[in-house]
Amino acid sequence: GQQVMQIPQYQHVQEGEDFTTYCNSSTTLSNIQWYKQRPGGHPVFLIQLVKSGEVKKQKRLTFQFGEAKKNSSLHITATQTTDVGTYFCAVPPQGSGNTGKLIFGQGTTLQVKP
Amino acid sequence: DGGITQSPKYLFRKEGQNVTLSCEQNLNHDAMYWYRQDPGQGLRLIYYSQIVNDFQKGDIAEGYSVSREKKESFPLTVTSAQKNPTAFYLCASSVGRSRNQPQHFGDGTRLSIL
């Protein structure tokens, strides 16, 4: 079946260091979404990537969609304590038609030491 | 998100008891979803509904039931058949049938066994 793997599962960084999480799919994706969940909170939509090789930036966050549309990455430059949380990628299941359903990766939990 | 209200925030279930989690949205979204999140895990889909009076099972529907009598409401019942109900339950909604729509989440309900 379709799998979405996110690595690493956990990452501890010193404030000011960079951080990257990767999302890999076993199948070609139509699009990929990224969400952030703060500790004790709920997932919040960050961005959606649709085009092959697409790169989008939100301040210190850079999102990339692979050329083959099977992988994606989220890179944070110069982390701050406000970046703490779990970052999830989410993809539509293959063959699901237009249901709006998503498969979520396991998430990467980021800890930032001040 | 302010448009989705989940209640209660915390819920305790006794053995053999059914409990119902409330989810209400005022975003005028057609699609609604229920997820279960276990510690350190991603989100697993329990049930989803694309339109009033219609819903489909997700990946882990056993021991759960839902109804969608109104567009705004999608309550989830955790039945006594669900032997391991302790988890964080998240309700989400999206505009409708599309692969490219983000999901908006409520604040969640934490369910524990007494």
Side-chain angles (χ1 to χ4, degrees), chain A residues 39-107:
Chain A
H42 60 271
V44 174
F45 173 76
L46 294 176
I47 209 161
Q48 177 173 261
L49 304 172
V50 178
K51 299 176 184 176
S52 169
E54 188 170 15
V55 178
K56 287 188 176 180
K57 293 190 175 185
Q58 289 180 350
K59 298 184 180 177
R60 294 176 297 102
L61 277 60
T62 302
F63 303 85
Q64 286 190 292
F65 203 7
E67 293 290 341
K69 299 182 75 173
K70 285 190 172 182
N71 56 72
S72 180
S73 65
L74 159 57
H75 179 82
I76 302 179
T77 304
T79 54
Q80 300 176 358
T81 54
T82 53
D83 296 324
V84 164
T86 300
Y87 294 84
F88 293 100
C89 61
V91 304
Q94 197 172 36
S96 64
N98 291 327
T99 64
K101 285 172 59 178
L102 293 172
I103 297 175
F104 282 79
Q106 293 298 302

